Amino acid sequence: MNKFLFPIYAVIAGVIIARLTKHKRTWNTKLLLSFSGAFLLALTLFELLPEVYDHLDTKMTGLFIMSGILLQIVLELFSKGAEHGHVHIHKDAKAFPWLLFISLCIHSFLEGFPIHEENDMVYGVLVHKIPIAALVSIYLFRSEYSVAQMVMFLTIFAAMTPFGTLISNTSDFSLQLSHSINAIVIGIFFHISTTILFESGEGHKFNLGKFVAIILGVGIAYFI
């Protein structure tokens, strides 16, 4: 049951963080992003990547992973990078952000596919979604959208990952198709996590806090 509930908990936690920080993006959010990027990348390398390479042709696996990277680049043309923390806030925005909403939902739906009882990817998605949900919530709170629009946005966003997991776990997919989709999701995870890690921020200077967050993310992913 946790594989369905944890992504929902992540969005709830993100909304709470946005409220507690009074709708401001803080250095804590940046550290959480760094930790989540390292944690997601490490889990993908430790668990999901070997699983896919065990079941698919090597070159085809690489092709699917590259397809996932390209797909995420296309999605970011519409989301403007919200999947890795780039949420652009317009205080006077009134028109509902359909492109952001749809691209985030597609991303969330696909990231639910690799989650199953035999791996720990649900934890990677959980940690990844918390800072993203917090930043999206800040964006919504500081806009002029109605409460109903914000609730609808966050509710559907929270439900898309469990929906992807449900489809993946209950549909009669062939094993090859299932692993092919997972390889595409690996590409998505690679693009997001590396973007988070390599966007060092101010002048690309060494940041001890970020470095420690990355080490913690990799270490915890290794030992769980």
Side-chain angles (χ1 to χ4, degrees):
M1 184 59 68
N2 284 339
K3 65 184 177 181
F4 298 109
L5 294 178
F6 276 5
I8 297 176
Y9 295 156
V11 175
I12 294 173
V15 174
I16 293 172
I17 290 172
R19 283 295 186 186
L20 292 178
T21 56
K22 298 181 180 180
H23 310 169
K24 295 179 181 179
R25 180 173 180 161
T26 66
W27 66 272
N28 292 314
T29 309
K30 293 181 180 180
L31 289 181
L32 184 54
L33 267 174
S34 297
F35 175 84
S36 69
F39 187 72
L40 180 63
L41 178 60
L43 268 185
T44 302
L45 291 171
F46 296 154
E47 297 209 14
L48 196 54
L49 190 65
E51 179 183 313
V52 167
Y53 268 109
D54 278 345
H55 293 89
L56 294 177
D57 172 75
T58 302
K59 185 166 286 189
M60 287 303 298
T61 300
L63 180 62
F64 285 128
I65 292 173
M66 283 303 306
S67 298
I69 292 173
L70 294 175
L71 173 59
Q72 184 57 40
I73 291 173
V74 171
L75 290 177
E76 289 179 12
L77 293 175
F78 304 105
S79 70
K80 308 303 180 184
E83 298 87 346
H84 48 77
H86 287 177
V87 184
H88 301 281
I89 296 171
H90 303 285
K91 293 183 180 180
D92 58 347
K94 294 182 180 179
F96 188 77
W98 285 108
L99 293 178
L100 172 66
F101 175 70
I102 292 171
S103 60
L104 279 178
C105 285
I106 293 172
H107 169 82
S108 297
F109 175 73
L110 289 174
E111 73 182 6
F113 267 76
I115 297 174
H116 53 75
E117 298 292 352
E118 288 73 36
N119 66 26
D120 293 316
M121 289 309 301
V122 68
Y123 300 113
V125 172
L126 168 71
V127 174
H128 163 61
K129 288 184 83 72
I130 291 175
I132 303 306
L135 292 170
V136 169
S137 297
I138 291 172
Y139 163 80
L140 293 173
F141 294 153
R142 296 182 67 180
S143 70
E144 295 187 7
Y145 306 131
S146 68
V147 173
Q149 287 176 317
M150 290 189 285
V151 170
M152 185 271 288
F153 190 122
L154 292 169
T155 300
I156 297 178
F157 173 58
M160 290 308 293
T161 298
F163 182 53
T165 302
L166 179 66
I167 296 296
S168 174
N169 283 251
T170 60
S171 298
D172 190 23
F173 291 136
S174 68
L175 193 60
Q176 182 169 359
L177 176 59
S178 177
H179 287 297
S180 298
I181 295 173
N182 286 349
I184 292 173
V185 178
I186 287 173
I188 292 173
F189 286 164
F190 276 178
H191 178 77
I192 291 170
S193 57
T194 54
T195 300
I196 291 172
L197 294 181
F198 295 124
E199 285 184 344
S200 302
E202 299 82 2
H204 294 278
K205 296 177 182 178
F206 179 77
N207 184 313
L208 180 59
K210 178 175 179 177
F211 181 74
V212 171
I214 291 171
I215 295 300
L216 283 174
V218 174
I220 293 173
Y222 180 82
F223 287 109
I224 64 171

mmCIF file of all heavy atoms in Angstrom, residues 173-221:
data_model
loop_
_atom_site.group_PDB
_atom_site.id
_atom_site.type_symbol
_atom_site.label_atom_id
_atom_site.label_comp_id
_atom_site.label_asym_id
_atom_site.label_seq_id
_atom_site.Cartn_x
_atom_site.Cartn_y
_atom_site.Cartn_z
ATOM 1 N N PHE A 173 0.964 -6.118 -19.189
ATOM 2 C CA PHE A 173 2.052 -5.755 -20.091
ATOM 3 C C PHE A 173 2.996 -6.939 -20.256
ATOM 4 O O PHE A 173 3.206 -7.716 -19.323
ATOM 5 C CB PHE A 173 2.863 -4.578 -19.537
ATOM 6 C CG PHE A 173 2.131 -3.269 -19.529
ATOM 7 C CD1 PHE A 173 2.194 -2.435 -18.423
ATOM 8 C CD2 PHE A 173 1.392 -2.855 -20.625
ATOM 9 C CE1 PHE A 173 1.534 -1.222 -18.404
ATOM 10 C CE2 PHE A 173 0.730 -1.639 -20.622
ATOM 11 C CZ PHE A 173 0.794 -0.822 -19.509
ATOM 12 N N SER A 174 3.594 -7.050 -21.441
ATOM 13 C CA SER A 174 4.669 -8.021 -21.603
ATOM 14 C C SER A 174 5.863 -7.540 -20.787
ATOM 15 O O SER A 174 6.011 -6.342 -20.512
ATOM 16 C CB SER A 174 5.056 -8.163 -23.073
ATOM 17 O OG SER A 174 5.668 -6.974 -23.546
ATOM 18 N N LEU A 175 6.710 -8.485 -20.401
ATOM 19 C CA LEU A 175 7.875 -8.128 -19.597
ATOM 20 C C LEU A 175 8.770 -7.152 -20.340
ATOM 21 O O LEU A 175 9.310 -6.210 -19.757
ATOM 22 C CB LEU A 175 8.658 -9.397 -19.227
ATOM 23 C CG LEU A 175 9.728 -9.243 -18.139
ATOM 24 C CD1 LEU A 175 9.104 -8.773 -16.831
ATOM 25 C CD2 LEU A 175 10.470 -10.561 -17.933
ATOM 26 N N GLN A 176 8.916 -7.352 -21.653
ATOM 27 C CA GLN A 176 9.782 -6.483 -22.441
ATOM 28 C C GLN A 176 9.228 -5.060 -22.498
ATOM 29 O O GLN A 176 9.977 -4.086 -22.367
ATOM 30 C CB GLN A 176 9.952 -7.027 -23.858
ATOM 31 C CG GLN A 176 10.892 -6.173 -24.717
ATOM 32 C CD GLN A 176 11.274 -6.843 -26.011
ATOM 33 O OE1 GLN A 176 10.850 -7.960 -26.283
ATOM 34 N NE2 GLN A 176 12.077 -6.171 -26.818
ATOM 35 N N LEU A 177 7.908 -4.929 -22.684
ATOM 36 C CA LEU A 177 7.310 -3.606 -22.739
ATOM 37 C C LEU A 177 7.460 -2.892 -21.391
ATOM 38 O O LEU A 177 7.780 -1.702 -21.337
ATOM 39 C CB LEU A 177 5.827 -3.710 -23.107
ATOM 40 C CG LEU A 177 5.039 -2.386 -23.116
ATOM 41 C CD1 LEU A 177 5.655 -1.406 -24.097
ATOM 42 C CD2 LEU A 177 3.567 -2.640 -23.447
ATOM 43 N N SER A 178 7.258 -3.626 -20.305
ATOM 44 C CA SER A 178 7.383 -3.046 -18.969
ATOM 45 C C SER A 178 8.787 -2.504 -18.741
ATOM 46 O O SER A 178 8.961 -1.371 -18.257
ATOM 47 C CB SER A 178 7.040 -4.100 -17.915
ATOM 48 O OG SER A 178 7.214 -3.584 -16.614
ATOM 49 N N HIS A 179 9.793 -3.286 -19.096
ATOM 50 C CA HIS A 179 11.169 -2.833 -18.895
ATOM 51 C C HIS A 179 11.546 -1.723 -19.883
ATOM 52 O O HIS A 179 12.379 -0.869 -19.552
ATOM 53 C CB HIS A 179 12.129 -4.013 -19.021
ATOM 54 C CG HIS A 179 12.072 -4.950 -17.852
ATOM 55 N ND1 HIS A 179 12.409 -4.566 -16.579
ATOM 56 C CD2 HIS A 179 11.708 -6.256 -17.753
ATOM 57 C CE1 HIS A 179 12.262 -5.582 -15.747
ATOM 58 N NE2 HIS A 179 11.832 -6.613 -16.433
ATOM 59 N N SER A 180 10.927 -1.716 -21.053
ATOM 60 C CA SER A 180 11.178 -0.636 -22.011
ATOM 61 C C SER A 180 10.667 0.692 -21.463
ATOM 62 O O SER A 180 11.343 1.729 -21.563
ATOM 63 C CB SER A 180 10.503 -0.946 -23.351
ATOM 64 O OG SER A 180 11.031 -2.128 -23.930
ATOM 65 N N ILE A 181 9.469 0.676 -20.863
ATOM 66 C CA ILE A 181 8.930 1.893 -20.249
ATOM 67 C C ILE A 181 9.816 2.326 -19.087
ATOM 68 O O ILE A 181 10.110 3.519 -18.910
ATOM 69 C CB ILE A 181 7.491 1.658 -19.771
ATOM 70 C CG1 ILE A 181 6.571 1.379 -20.968
ATOM 71 C CG2 ILE A 181 6.978 2.871 -18.996
ATOM 72 C CD1 ILE A 181 5.165 0.979 -20.590
ATOM 73 N N ASN A 182 10.265 1.348 -18.299
ATOM 74 C CA ASN A 182 11.145 1.683 -17.169
ATOM 75 C C ASN A 182 12.448 2.324 -17.644
ATOM 76 O O ASN A 182 12.989 3.214 -16.983
ATOM 77 C CB ASN A 182 11.449 0.434 -16.348
ATOM 78 C CG ASN A 182 10.266 -0.009 -15.511
ATOM 79 O OD1 ASN A 182 9.285 0.718 -15.371
ATOM 80 N ND2 ASN A 182 10.337 -1.209 -14.959
ATOM 81 N N ALA A 183 12.950 1.863 -18.793
ATOM 82 C CA ALA A 183 14.178 2.454 -19.335
ATOM 83 C C ALA A 183 13.943 3.907 -19.738
ATOM 84 O O ALA A 183 14.813 4.772 -19.542
ATOM 85 C CB ALA A 183 14.666 1.639 -20.530
ATOM 86 N N ILE A 184 12.772 4.187 -20.286
ATOM 87 C CA ILE A 184 12.428 5.574 -20.625
ATOM 88 C C ILE A 184 12.381 6.424 -19.358
ATOM 89 O O ILE A 184 12.886 7.559 -19.325
ATOM 90 C CB ILE A 184 11.078 5.619 -21.368
ATOM 91 C CG1 ILE A 184 11.226 4.977 -22.755
ATOM 92 C CG2 ILE A 184 10.574 7.065 -21.501
ATOM 93 C CD1 ILE A 184 9.921 4.814 -23.510
ATOM 94 N N VAL A 185 11.803 5.861 -18.293
ATOM 95 C CA VAL A 185 11.725 6.585 -17.022
ATOM 96 C C VAL A 185 13.122 6.810 -16.438
ATOM 97 O O VAL A 185 13.389 7.849 -15.832
ATOM 98 C CB VAL A 185 10.825 5.838 -16.021
ATOM 99 C CG1 VAL A 185 10.790 6.572 -14.682
ATOM 100 C CG2 VAL A 185 9.415 5.701 -16.575
ATOM 101 N N ILE A 186 14.031 5.850 -16.642
ATOM 102 C CA ILE A 186 15.422 6.043 -16.208
ATOM 103 C C ILE A 186 15.994 7.297 -16.862
ATOM 104 O O ILE A 186 16.663 8.108 -16.214
ATOM 105 C CB ILE A 186 16.275 4.815 -16.553
ATOM 106 C CG1 ILE A 186 15.926 3.645 -15.631
ATOM 107 C CG2 ILE A 186 17.769 5.139 -16.429
ATOM 108 C CD1 ILE A 186 16.606 2.341 -16.021
ATOM 109 N N GLY A 187 15.739 7.460 -18.156
ATOM 110 C CA GLY A 187 16.213 8.654 -18.852
ATOM 111 C C GLY A 187 15.639 9.924 -18.255
ATOM 112 O O GLY A 187 16.349 10.922 -18.092
ATOM 113 N N ILE A 188 14.351 9.873 -17.895
ATOM 114 C CA ILE A 188 13.712 11.021 -17.252
ATOM 115 C C ILE A 188 14.391 11.324 -15.918
ATOM 116 O O ILE A 188 14.717 12.475 -15.610
ATOM 117 C CB ILE A 188 12.209 10.747 -17.051
ATOM 118 C CG1 ILE A 188 11.497 10.699 -18.409
ATOM 119 C CG2 ILE A 188 11.575 11.803 -16.145
ATOM 120 C CD1 ILE A 188 10.044 10.282 -18.334
ATOM 121 N N PHE A 189 14.608 10.269 -15.113
ATOM 122 C CA PHE A 189 15.260 10.448 -13.809
ATOM 123 C C PHE A 189 16.684 10.962 -13.972
ATOM 124 O O PHE A 189 17.133 11.814 -13.192
ATOM 125 C CB PHE A 189 15.277 9.128 -13.044
ATOM 126 C CG PHE A 189 13.935 8.721 -12.484
ATOM 127 C CD1 PHE A 189 13.711 7.420 -12.057
ATOM 128 C CD2 PHE A 189 12.899 9.624 -12.372
ATOM 129 C CE1 PHE A 189 12.495 7.037 -11.532
ATOM 130 C CE2 PHE A 189 11.666 9.256 -11.850
ATOM 131 C CZ PHE A 189 11.469 7.956 -11.429
ATOM 132 N N PHE A 190 17.408 10.442 -14.956
ATOM 133 C CA PHE A 190 18.775 10.907 -15.203
ATOM 134 C C PHE A 190 18.791 12.409 -15.492
ATOM 135 O O PHE A 190 19.610 13.157 -14.952
ATOM 136 C CB PHE A 190 19.396 10.150 -16.372
ATOM 137 C CG PHE A 190 20.015 8.830 -16.008
ATOM 138 C CD1 PHE A 190 20.584 8.026 -16.989
ATOM 139 C CD2 PHE A 190 20.036 8.379 -14.701
ATOM 140 C CE1 PHE A 190 21.164 6.806 -16.662
ATOM 141 C CE2 PHE A 190 20.611 7.166 -14.367
ATOM 142 C CZ PHE A 190 21.176 6.381 -15.352
ATOM 143 N N HIS A 191 17.905 12.826 -16.377
ATOM 144 C CA HIS A 191 17.898 14.237 -16.771
ATOM 145 C C HIS A 191 17.568 15.130 -15.580
ATOM 146 O O HIS A 191 18.252 16.141 -15.338
ATOM 147 C CB HIS A 191 16.875 14.455 -17.884
ATOM 148 C CG HIS A 191 16.776 15.886 -18.324
ATOM 149 N ND1 HIS A 191 17.712 16.466 -19.149
ATOM 150 C CD2 HIS A 191 15.878 16.858 -18.028
ATOM 151 C CE1 HIS A 191 17.387 17.735 -19.357
ATOM 152 N NE2 HIS A 191 16.273 17.999 -18.680
ATOM 153 N N ILE A 192 16.548 14.766 -14.830
ATOM 154 C CA ILE A 192 16.114 15.599 -13.700
ATOM 155 C C ILE A 192 17.183 15.660 -12.616
ATOM 156 O O ILE A 192 17.556 16.736 -12.142
ATOM 157 C CB ILE A 192 14.802 15.054 -13.111
ATOM 158 C CG1 ILE A 192 13.664 15.262 -14.090
ATOM 159 C CG2 ILE A 192 14.475 15.728 -11.777
ATOM 160 C CD1 ILE A 192 12.407 14.560 -13.701
ATOM 161 N N SER A 193 17.671 14.481 -12.208
ATOM 162 C CA SER A 193 18.610 14.444 -11.085
ATOM 163 C C SER A 193 19.938 15.112 -11.428
ATOM 164 O O SER A 193 20.499 15.845 -10.596
ATOM 165 C CB SER A 193 18.837 12.996 -10.634
ATOM 166 O OG SER A 193 19.295 12.188 -11.692
ATOM 167 N N THR A 194 20.436 14.890 -12.621
ATOM 168 C CA THR A 194 21.708 15.524 -12.986
ATOM 169 C C THR A 194 21.552 17.029 -13.158
ATOM 170 O O THR A 194 22.470 17.796 -12.837
ATOM 171 C CB THR A 194 22.300 14.906 -14.269
ATOM 172 O OG1 THR A 194 21.318 14.955 -15.318
ATOM 173 C CG2 THR A 194 22.720 13.472 -14.034
ATOM 174 N N THR A 195 20.400 17.468 -13.642
ATOM 175 C CA THR A 195 20.155 18.910 -13.746
ATOM 176 C C THR A 195 20.182 19.551 -12.369
ATOM 177 O O THR A 195 20.781 20.613 -12.161
ATOM 178 C CB THR A 195 18.808 19.188 -14.429
ATOM 179 O OG1 THR A 195 18.816 18.630 -15.745
ATOM 180 C CG2 THR A 195 18.543 20.686 -14.523
ATOM 181 N N ILE A 196 19.539 18.891 -11.398
ATOM 182 C CA ILE A 196 19.545 19.400 -10.024
ATOM 183 C C ILE A 196 20.970 19.459 -9.484
ATOM 184 O O ILE A 196 21.399 20.456 -8.886
ATOM 185 C CB ILE A 196 18.679 18.511 -9.112
ATOM 186 C CG1 ILE A 196 17.200 18.659 -9.472
ATOM 187 C CG2 ILE A 196 18.897 18.868 -7.639
ATOM 188 C CD1 ILE A 196 16.296 17.670 -8.759
ATOM 189 N N LEU A 197 21.739 18.389 -9.700
ATOM 190 C CA LEU A 197 23.073 18.295 -9.108
ATOM 191 C C LEU A 197 24.073 19.251 -9.741
ATOM 192 O O LEU A 197 24.943 19.804 -9.056
ATOM 193 C CB LEU A 197 23.597 16.862 -9.224
ATOM 194 C CG LEU A 197 22.835 15.808 -8.422
ATOM 195 C CD1 LEU A 197 23.477 14.442 -8.600
ATOM 196 C CD2 LEU A 197 22.796 16.174 -6.947
ATOM 197 N N PHE A 198 23.969 19.460 -11.050
ATOM 198 C CA PHE A 198 24.983 20.253 -11.730
ATOM 199 C C PHE A 198 24.624 21.728 -11.840
ATOM 200 O O PHE A 198 25.443 22.530 -12.264
ATOM 201 C CB PHE A 198 25.282 19.675 -13.102
ATOM 202 C CG PHE A 198 25.910 18.306 -13.025
ATOM 203 C CD1 PHE A 198 25.340 17.225 -13.677
ATOM 204 C CD2 PHE A 198 27.059 18.094 -12.279
ATOM 205 C CE1 PHE A 198 25.910 15.959 -13.589
ATOM 206 C CE2 PHE A 198 27.641 16.838 -12.188
ATOM 207 C CZ PHE A 198 27.061 15.765 -12.850
ATOM 208 N N GLU A 199 23.402 22.078 -11.472
ATOM 209 C CA GLU A 199 23.067 23.497 -11.399
ATOM 210 C C GLU A 199 23.455 23.995 -10.015
ATOM 211 O O GLU A 199 22.640 24.103 -9.111
ATOM 212 C CB GLU A 199 21.577 23.718 -11.666
ATOM 213 C CG GLU A 199 21.221 23.573 -13.122
ATOM 214 C CD GLU A 199 19.763 23.887 -13.395
ATOM 215 O OE1 GLU A 199 18.969 23.919 -12.420
ATOM 216 O OE2 GLU A 199 19.414 24.097 -14.552
ATOM 217 N N SER A 200 24.704 24.264 -9.844
ATOM 218 C CA SER A 200 25.247 24.561 -8.518
ATOM 219 C C SER A 200 24.798 25.894 -7.962
ATOM 220 O O SER A 200 24.977 26.182 -6.788
ATOM 221 C CB SER A 200 26.782 24.530 -8.562
ATOM 222 O OG SER A 200 27.233 23.278 -9.012
ATOM 223 N N GLY A 201 24.256 26.732 -8.816
ATOM 224 C CA GLY A 201 23.806 28.017 -8.306
ATOM 225 C C GLY A 201 24.879 29.076 -8.455
ATOM 226 O O GLY A 201 25.576 29.147 -9.448
ATOM 227 N N GLU A 202 25.023 29.856 -7.431
ATOM 228 C CA GLU A 202 25.834 31.068 -7.490
ATOM 229 C C GLU A 202 27.262 30.826 -7.959
ATOM 230 O O GLU A 202 28.107 30.379 -7.204
ATOM 231 C CB GLU A 202 25.866 31.731 -6.106
ATOM 232 C CG GLU A 202 24.492 32.148 -5.596
ATOM 233 C CD GLU A 202 23.718 31.004 -4.955
ATOM 234 O OE1 GLU A 202 24.294 29.879 -4.870
ATOM 235 O OE2 GLU A 202 22.561 31.206 -4.585
ATOM 236 N N GLY A 203 27.502 31.146 -9.229
ATOM 237 C CA GLY A 203 28.854 31.103 -9.763
ATOM 238 C C GLY A 203 29.498 29.732 -9.792
ATOM 239 O O GLY A 203 30.693 29.604 -9.968
ATOM 240 N N HIS A 204 28.697 28.681 -9.627
ATOM 241 C CA HIS A 204 29.226 27.310 -9.588
ATOM 242 C C HIS A 204 30.334 27.162 -8.547
ATOM 243 O O HIS A 204 31.285 26.416 -8.729
ATOM 244 C CB HIS A 204 29.744 26.885 -10.973
ATOM 245 C CG HIS A 204 28.643 26.787 -11.985
ATOM 246 N ND1 HIS A 204 27.834 25.690 -12.108
ATOM 247 C CD2 HIS A 204 28.206 27.671 -12.912
ATOM 248 C CE1 HIS A 204 26.959 25.892 -13.069
ATOM 249 N NE2 HIS A 204 27.160 27.092 -13.574
ATOM 250 N N LYS A 205 30.205 27.887 -7.446
ATOM 251 C CA LYS A 205 31.187 27.790 -6.371
ATOM 252 C C LYS A 205 30.925 26.550 -5.529
ATOM 253 O O LYS A 205 29.808 26.039 -5.474
ATOM 254 C CB LYS A 205 31.124 29.040 -5.484
ATOM 255 C CG LYS A 205 31.495 30.326 -6.207
ATOM 256 C CD LYS A 205 31.335 31.525 -5.287
ATOM 257 C CE LYS A 205 31.664 32.814 -6.016
ATOM 258 N NZ LYS A 205 31.465 33.997 -5.143
ATOM 259 N N PHE A 206 31.973 26.067 -4.868
ATOM 260 C CA PHE A 206 31.810 24.915 -3.980
ATOM 261 C C PHE A 206 30.894 25.294 -2.816
ATOM 262 O O PHE A 206 31.086 26.314 -2.155
ATOM 263 C CB PHE A 206 33.159 24.454 -3.449
ATOM 264 C CG PHE A 206 33.057 23.278 -2.511
ATOM 265 C CD1 PHE A 206 32.854 22.004 -3.002
ATOM 266 C CD2 PHE A 206 33.142 23.465 -1.134
ATOM 267 C CE1 PHE A 206 32.746 20.925 -2.143
ATOM 268 C CE2 PHE A 206 33.041 22.394 -0.267
ATOM 269 C CZ PHE A 206 32.840 21.113 -0.774
ATOM 270 N N ASN A 207 29.888 24.470 -2.583
ATOM 271 C CA ASN A 207 28.921 24.710 -1.518
ATOM 272 C C ASN A 207 28.945 23.513 -0.581
ATOM 273 O O ASN A 207 28.518 22.420 -0.946
ATOM 274 C CB ASN A 207 27.532 24.912 -2.122
ATOM 275 C CG ASN A 207 26.483 25.271 -1.085
ATOM 276 O OD1 ASN A 207 26.382 24.649 -0.037
ATOM 277 N ND2 ASN A 207 25.692 26.289 -1.397
ATOM 278 N N LEU A 208 29.457 23.707 0.632
ATOM 279 C CA LEU A 208 29.613 22.602 1.576
ATOM 280 C C LEU A 208 28.268 21.976 1.937
ATOM 281 O O LEU A 208 28.154 20.751 2.002
ATOM 282 C CB LEU A 208 30.321 23.093 2.847
ATOM 283 C CG LEU A 208 30.559 22.018 3.928
ATOM 284 C CD1 LEU A 208 31.410 20.875 3.387
ATOM 285 C CD2 LEU A 208 31.193 22.653 5.166
ATOM 286 N N GLY A 209 27.260 22.815 2.159
ATOM 287 C CA GLY A 209 25.944 22.284 2.520
ATOM 288 C C GLY A 209 25.383 21.394 1.431
ATOM 289 O O GLY A 209 24.853 20.301 1.703
ATOM 290 N N LYS A 210 25.515 21.839 0.198
ATOM 291 C CA LYS A 210 25.017 21.045 -0.923
ATOM 292 C C LYS A 210 25.819 19.756 -1.066
ATOM 293 O O LYS A 210 25.251 18.687 -1.317
ATOM 294 C CB LYS A 210 25.087 21.860 -2.214
ATOM 295 C CG LYS A 210 24.620 21.082 -3.428
ATOM 296 C CD LYS A 210 24.579 21.950 -4.669
ATOM 297 C CE LYS A 210 24.136 21.130 -5.866
ATOM 298 N NZ LYS A 210 24.005 21.939 -7.087
ATOM 299 N N PHE A 211 27.129 19.843 -0.888
ATOM 300 C CA PHE A 211 27.976 18.659 -0.999
ATOM 301 C C PHE A 211 27.593 17.610 0.043
ATOM 302 O O PHE A 211 27.472 16.422 -0.262
ATOM 303 C CB PHE A 211 29.445 19.063 -0.829
ATOM 304 C CG PHE A 211 30.415 17.925 -0.953
ATOM 305 C CD1 PHE A 211 30.699 17.373 -2.191
ATOM 306 C CD2 PHE A 211 31.040 17.394 0.164
ATOM 307 C CE1 PHE A 211 31.590 16.312 -2.319
ATOM 308 C CE2 PHE A 211 31.928 16.338 0.057
ATOM 309 C CZ PHE A 211 32.211 15.801 -1.188
ATOM 310 N N VAL A 212 27.362 18.049 1.268
ATOM 311 C CA VAL A 212 26.955 17.126 2.330
ATOM 312 C C VAL A 212 25.596 16.517 2.012
ATOM 313 O O VAL A 212 25.373 15.310 2.214
ATOM 314 C CB VAL A 212 26.904 17.856 3.692
ATOM 315 C CG1 VAL A 212 26.284 16.965 4.761
ATOM 316 C CG2 VAL A 212 28.307 18.280 4.110
ATOM 317 N N ALA A 213 24.667 17.331 1.491
ATOM 318 C CA ALA A 213 23.340 16.824 1.126
ATOM 319 C C ALA A 213 23.448 15.744 0.053
ATOM 320 O O ALA A 213 22.741 14.719 0.103
ATOM 321 C CB ALA A 213 22.453 17.970 0.645
ATOM 322 N N ILE A 214 24.350 15.939 -0.914
ATOM 323 C CA ILE A 214 24.533 14.955 -1.985
ATOM 324 C C ILE A 214 25.122 13.656 -1.431
ATOM 325 O O ILE A 214 24.653 12.561 -1.760
ATOM 326 C CB ILE A 214 25.428 15.542 -3.095
ATOM 327 C CG1 ILE A 214 24.694 16.664 -3.824
ATOM 328 C CG2 ILE A 214 25.852 14.461 -4.081
ATOM 329 C CD1 ILE A 214 25.560 17.447 -4.790
ATOM 330 N N ILE A 215 26.143 13.775 -0.579
ATOM 331 C CA ILE A 215 26.753 12.591 0.020
ATOM 332 C C ILE A 215 25.727 11.813 0.840
ATOM 333 O O ILE A 215 25.653 10.573 0.787
ATOM 334 C CB ILE A 215 27.961 12.989 0.896
ATOM 335 C CG1 ILE A 215 29.076 13.592 0.031
ATOM 336 C CG2 ILE A 215 28.493 11.773 1.663
ATOM 337 C CD1 ILE A 215 29.609 12.685 -1.034
ATOM 338 N N LEU A 216 24.915 12.518 1.605
ATOM 339 C CA LEU A 216 23.871 11.866 2.392
ATOM 340 C C LEU A 216 22.862 11.158 1.495
ATOM 341 O O LEU A 216 22.434 10.029 1.776
ATOM 342 C CB LEU A 216 23.146 12.894 3.270
ATOM 343 C CG LEU A 216 23.875 13.361 4.529
ATOM 344 C CD1 LEU A 216 23.087 14.482 5.207
ATOM 345 C CD2 LEU A 216 24.078 12.188 5.495
ATOM 346 N N GLY A 217 22.485 11.815 0.404
ATOM 347 C CA GLY A 217 21.528 11.212 -0.521
ATOM 348 C C GLY A 217 22.048 9.922 -1.119
ATOM 349 O O GLY A 217 21.341 8.905 -1.151
ATOM 350 N N VAL A 218 23.289 9.928 -1.571
ATOM 351 C CA VAL A 218 23.890 8.716 -2.154
ATOM 352 C C VAL A 218 24.061 7.635 -1.091
ATOM 353 O O VAL A 218 23.760 6.457 -1.323
ATOM 354 C CB VAL A 218 25.247 9.052 -2.803
ATOM 355 C CG1 VAL A 218 25.944 7.777 -3.291
ATOM 356 C CG2 VAL A 218 25.063 10.028 -3.965
ATOM 357 N N GLY A 219 24.537 8.025 0.094
ATOM 358 C CA GLY A 219 24.775 7.048 1.165
ATOM 359 C C GLY A 219 23.507 6.368 1.629
ATOM 360 O O GLY A 219 23.450 5.136 1.781
ATOM 361 N N ILE A 220 22.451 7.134 1.843
ATOM 362 C CA ILE A 220 21.193 6.537 2.296
ATOM 363 C C ILE A 220 20.613 5.636 1.224
ATOM 364 O O ILE A 220 20.101 4.537 1.514
ATOM 365 C CB ILE A 220 20.196 7.656 2.672
ATOM 366 C CG1 ILE A 220 20.695 8.400 3.914
ATOM 367 C CG2 ILE A 220 18.802 7.076 2.943
ATOM 368 C CD1 ILE A 220 19.887 9.624 4.265
ATOM 369 N N ALA A 221 20.703 6.061 -0.053
ATOM 370 C CA ALA A 221 20.204 5.217 -1.147
ATOM 371 C C ALA A 221 20.955 3.885 -1.208
ATOM 372 O O ALA A 221 20.371 2.840 -1.501
ATOM 373 C CB ALA A 221 20.324 5.952 -2.470
#
